[in-house]
Amino acid sequence: MTRTALRAARLFDGTACVDDPLVLLADGRVTEVRPGRDAPVPDDAELVELPGATLLPGLVDTHVHLAFDGGPDPVTALADRDEDALLAAMGAAAAAQLAAGVTTVRDLGDRDFSALRLRERGGSLPTIVAAGPPITSPGGHCHFLGGAAQGVAGVRAAVRAHAERGVDVIKVMASGGMLTEGSDIAGGQFSAGELRVVVEEAHRHGLPVTAHAHALTAVRDAVDARVDGIEHCTCFDGERIVLPPELADALVTRRIAIGSTVGLAPVPGGMAPPPLLARLLPDLLAAHATLIRAGALVVAGTDAGIAPPKPHGVLPYGLAQLVDLGMTPPEALRAGTATAAQVCGVGDRKGRVAPGYDADLLAVAGDPTVDIGALLAPVAVLVAGRFVRRPAAVAS
Ligand SMILES: [Zn+2]
């Protein structure tokens, strides 16, 4: 058995900082973290020096779409791809995530369970937590992914079919979305009763539910249905963004995971958001800042893949934006590692650098606990103890 020893300037272990750590890896896992510059390197370990760098758990994006290619029209691009071309494109998306240091992704919407097939095919991939096609209403948001269902019996059958296919989470489109022409972002797509059955049936199968919700009414219904998470959480009433205090209170006290759709990568020549989003954005960001201040469980669910400013691997920009919204850099790092891993249901093996955890690691130049922008300078990425991106100094 060969061991790897990583020495860096500092470690953010998912919750706290350690100076001058020596991190030991074996069999794809972290075995030990020795603090201090003088910590001895075991004789049988290959030492990799990462001078000036900070080691972190590999990042966790709670909301991506590997099936969307991040181009100007990802929906048409997807429609034009057959199964082989789709899996190839998803492999490229997965590689881009890894290159940015994102070693776990929760895919919240693929076509016909393609994320499960990508995962089964294997290769150098981030860990993929998959929802399959989102459950949506006939003709509703992202219906073209194949997850349309209707009525209490229909949604119950859809959840059961997803569970039988082996998904890890149920994604339900509680309101319309901007990617789907004709869907209503100010209105709900399911009755309160249908949403309750989605949650009831998912929980019966041991699966969490996260609801896509732009509409205020959809956020309310999702909270009442006892979902585990809400994506976007836009709270749009048809005119403006509204965050009623009692709704904010319910989100906070029930520890509902709020996937904030943060993170915009610079696009050559710039790219304006859709006009409605541009108008709503300041108030939307203010509402999420309010939720963060109130202690809500907010994570960065970037929606990577849906547009050019949302390429695969955009999460570091999202974590920087959480700092803009009021988190300290260590809080944002926790949101992108340990907390995000818990939200994805893999918190017992991902999102921390501690004995027994998977050796999915990221090293960045500088100190992201002080300057979150350092996340944009990855120098090494490891998955299960193997380098998928090697530091230049030890390139082989
Ligand atoms: Zn999405």
Side-chain angles (χ1 to χ4, degrees):
M1 179 180 84
T2 51
R3 289 200 275 179
T4 305
L6 303 171
R7 203 195 292 279
R10 67 197 69 74
L11 164 71
F12 176 79
D13 71 3
T15 58
C17 294
V18 180
D19 283 334
D20 301 306
L22 185 74
V23 177
L24 301 180
L25 318 175
D27 289 336
R29 301 207 175 189
V30 176
T31 54
E32 205 181 329
V33 177
R34 297 181 179 175
R37 208 181 302 269
D38 304 325
V41 179
D43 290 340
D44 62 344
E46 180 209 359
L47 177 65
V48 178
E49 299 269 9
L50 298 160
T54 302
L55 266 175
L56 308 122
L59 304 177
V60 181
D61 194 331
T62 60
H63 187 156
V64 312
H65 299 277
L66 295 173
F68 290 145
D69 64 7
D73 186 357
V75 174
T76 302
L78 173 61
D80 288 344
R81 288 191 171 106
D82 65 11
E83 173 74 6
D84 283 350
L86 174 58
L87 287 183
M90 292 176 79
Q97 293 282 2
L98 282 183
V102 183
T103 56
T104 298
V105 295
R106 186 169 66 164
D107 190 302
L108 289 184
D110 63 18
R111 184 176 76 193
D112 299 331
F113 302 95
S114 51
L116 294 180
R117 285 193 293 281
L118 181 71
R119 185 165 79 184
E120 282 153 17
R121 205 178 62 168
S124 182
L125 295 172
T127 294
I128 300 170
V129 175
I135 293 174
T136 190
S137 55
H141 181 40
C142 285
H143 62 90
F144 47 82
L145 296 176
Q150 199 171 24
V152 164
V155 297
R156 193 187 295 280
V159 171
R160 196 174 302 152
H162 277 63
E164 283 163 5
R165 288 295 290 264
V167 302
D168 310 293
V169 54
I170 295 294
K171 164 92 173 292
V172 60
M173 299 301 204
S175 80
M178 304 191 190
L179 221 49
T180 309
E181 221 164 302
S183 78
D184 179 12
I185 70 162
Q189 296 201 142
F190 290 107
S191 69
E194 286 169 324
L195 278 184
R196 271 199 304 276
V197 167
V198 167
V199 176
E200 203 181 277
E201 189 65 20
H203 287 178
R204 200 197 313 281
H205 291 277
L207 299 175
V209 176
T210 193
H212 157 111
H214 287 305
L216 176 62
T217 168
V219 174
R220 278 203 170 111
D221 286 349
V223 169
D224 289 345
R226 303 207 163 256
V227 296
D228 304 277
I230 296 180
E231 306 304 313
H232 315 303
C233 201
T234 311
C235 299
F236 179 50
D237 75 353
E239 267 306 307
R240 56 202 177 92
I241 305 295
V242 199
L243 181 60
E246 68 280 4
L247 182 61
D249 197 53
L251 291 166
V252 172
T253 55
R254 293 195 197 166
R255 306 299 293 151
I256 293 171
I258 297 163
S260 198
T261 318
V262 285
L264 292 171
V267 174
M271 186 171 169
L276 177 62
L277 182 58
R279 176 168 78 78
L280 298 178
L281 205 50
D283 287 348
L284 171 56
L285 294 174
H288 282 218
T290 299
L291 288 167
I292 289 169
R293 263 198 314 278
L297 175 53
V298 174
V299 291
T302 62
D303 230 350
I306 62 157
K310 296 271 187 192
H312 290 284
V314 73
L315 180 60
Y317 290 100
L319 299 179
Q321 199 175 357
L322 290 183
V323 172
D324 294 341
L325 294 182
M327 288 192 189
T328 65
E331 285 168 351
L333 292 174
R334 202 173 304 143
T337 56
T339 305
Q342 281 162 9
V343 166
C344 293
V346 292
D348 57 341
R349 57 193 177 97
K350 306 287 183 189
R352 305 236 357 240
V353 181
Y357 277 74
D358 291 349
D360 295 351
L361 300 168
L362 164 64
V364 300
D367 185 357
T369 68
V370 176
D371 172 14
I372 194 80
L375 286 181
L376 291 164
V379 295
V381 181
L382 295 93
V383 170
R386 301 164 84 120
F387 283 96
V388 293
R389 178 177 192 140
R390 273 201 169 255
V394 294
S396 57

